[in-house]
């Protein structure tokens, strides 16, 4: 594939709150550069668009107030930073599928 994403769950120093980092690696570029996307919300789902540079994340404060956010990596080779395209707010969703 062109990209690899690792979901890393971090805890605060007190251990009461958690954060999710997405470490995204560009596998086709030299030295395999990586970028980090930090989310403070609970993560429900993550999915890449097949054969493309875009991905979506279902996230939110709780199960009843979820958002679907879409991001792009720019281009497959030597792309720009991770950029948020748009979000769909307050939806009842549990899975993300590309067609």
């Amino acid at each position: 594939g062109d990209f690899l994403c690792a979901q890393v769950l971090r805890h605060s120093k007190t251990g009461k709150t958690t954060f999710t980092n997405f470490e995204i690696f560009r596998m086709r570029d030299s030295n395999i550069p990586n970028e980090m996307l930090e989310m403070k919300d609970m993560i429900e789902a993550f999915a890449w668009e097949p054969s493309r540079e875009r991905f979506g994340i279902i996230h939110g404060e709780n199960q009843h107030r979820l958002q679907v956010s879409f991001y792009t990596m720019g281009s497959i080779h030597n792309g720009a930073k991770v950029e948020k395209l748009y979000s769909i707010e307050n939806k009842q969703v549990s899975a993300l599928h590309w067609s």
Side-chain angles (χ1 to χ4, degrees):
D2 299 315
F3 303 103
L4 173 70
C5 182
Q7 182 176 342
V8 180
L9 186 64
R10 294 182 340 167
H11 296 277
S12 65
K13 290 184 179 182
T14 61
K16 293 181 181 178
T17 57
T18 59
F19 302 98
T20 301
N21 286 349
F22 290 100
E23 298 279 341
I24 304 170
F25 299 89
R26 294 179 177 273
M27 303 304 288
R28 302 266 184 219
D29 290 353
S30 62
N31 296 330
I32 307 178
N34 71 322
E35 299 175 42
M36 184 174 62
L37 177 65
E38 182 175 315
M39 309 219 46
K40 293 182 174 29
D41 292 340
M42 176 193 70
I43 305 299
E44 181 72 25
F46 175 94
W48 285 103
E49 182 180 14
S51 302
R52 297 296 306 265
E53 68 280 354
R54 295 181 290 205
F55 60 91
I57 303 171
I58 300 174
H59 60 95
E61 297 173 8
N62 56 45
Q63 292 283 17
H64 304 290
R65 296 184 55 188
L66 294 175
Q67 298 181 45
V68 182
S69 296
F70 296 95
Y71 294 85
T72 183
M73 295 294 293
S75 66
I76 293 176
H77 296 286
N78 299 321
K81 297 257 183 215
V82 175
E83 180 183 349
K84 186 174 185 177
L85 296 173
Y86 59 91
S87 289
I88 303 170
E89 298 183 4
N90 295 325
K91 294 292 179 183
Q92 292 183 343
V93 293
S94 60
L96 179 61
H97 300 281
W98 294 86
S99 63

